[in-house]
């Protein structure tokens, strides 16, 4: 499992999460200032170099590649601003989403997630 720290790029965290998880075929889990990537199979390992390359590609695609450094330290990848500035985008109000840690099922309702989680323990 890899963790990507997004404190300096919070306004694009959701878009980045979708792009990177698609590139590496991993299950994403969104957290406050970071997201994690897990493999579908516990025996597989996520290639950290592919994740770093995907993050850099995404930053380049929005014209911010030169303004941010992607730093890895073991299983933690940090996206740090080179100049101290963060990406400011107008945030669209989105409903809070809940994700199953077992299979990646996503819903906007906490109750629905709780019911879904029970199937994993039958």
């Amino acid at each position: 499992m890899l963790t990507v720290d997004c404190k300096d790029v919070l306004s694009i965290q959701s878009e980045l999460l979708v792009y990177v998880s698609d590139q590496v075929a991993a299950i994403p889990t969104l957290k406050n200032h970071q997201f994690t990537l897990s493999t579908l199979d516990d025996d597989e390992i996520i290639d950290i170099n592919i994740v770093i390359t995907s993050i850099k590609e995404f930053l380049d695609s929005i014209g911010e590649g030169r303004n941010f450094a992607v730093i890895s330290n073991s299983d933690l990848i940090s996206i740090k601003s080179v100049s101290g500035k963060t990406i400011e985008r107008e945030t669209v109000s989105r409903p809070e989403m809940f994700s199953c840690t077992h299979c990646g099922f996503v819903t906007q309702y906490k109750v629905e997630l709780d019911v879904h989680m029970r199937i994993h323990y039958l």
Side-chain angles (χ1 to χ4, degrees):
M1 182 167 68
L2 292 175
T3 302
V4 179
D5 180 14
C6 300
K7 288 179 187 159
D8 289 350
V9 292
L10 278 179
S11 62
I12 62 165
Q13 179 182 10
S14 297
E15 298 167 54
L16 179 64
L17 165 93
V18 170
Y19 182 81
V20 173
S21 63
D22 282 348
Q23 294 294 315
V24 297
I27 300 171
T29 305
L30 188 60
K31 296 184 178 183
N32 286 338
H33 302 294
Q34 60 189 13
F35 63 86
T36 60
L37 298 169
S38 306
T39 59
L40 299 172
D41 185 11
D42 290 337
D43 296 334
E44 294 179 22
I45 298 173
I46 298 174
D47 187 353
I48 196 165
N49 294 320
I50 295 173
V51 174
I52 291 170
T53 302
S54 298
I55 293 170
K56 288 180 180 180
E57 285 175 359
F58 182 81
L59 291 171
D60 286 338
S61 74
I62 61 170
E64 295 287 349
R66 295 178 186 236
N67 299 327
F68 291 90
V70 181
I71 305 162
S72 77
N73 182 10
S74 187
D75 288 340
L76 175 66
I77 299 171
S78 299
I79 305 169
K80 295 291 182 185
S81 174
V82 174
S83 63
K85 293 175 64 177
T86 60
I87 296 177
E88 299 295 331
R89 282 197 175 172
E90 192 174 307
T91 57
V92 178
S93 177
R94 296 181 187 155
E96 186 174 356
M97 300 299 281
F98 301 95
S99 175
C100 175
T101 55
H102 299 289
C103 69
F105 171 76
V106 178
T107 181
Q108 64 181 3
Y109 304 107
K110 177 78 169 115
V111 174
E112 186 177 8
L113 176 66
D114 292 340
V115 171
H116 168 82
M117 293 283 282
R118 291 182 189 148
I119 67 168
H120 293 290
Y121 299 103
L122 292 178

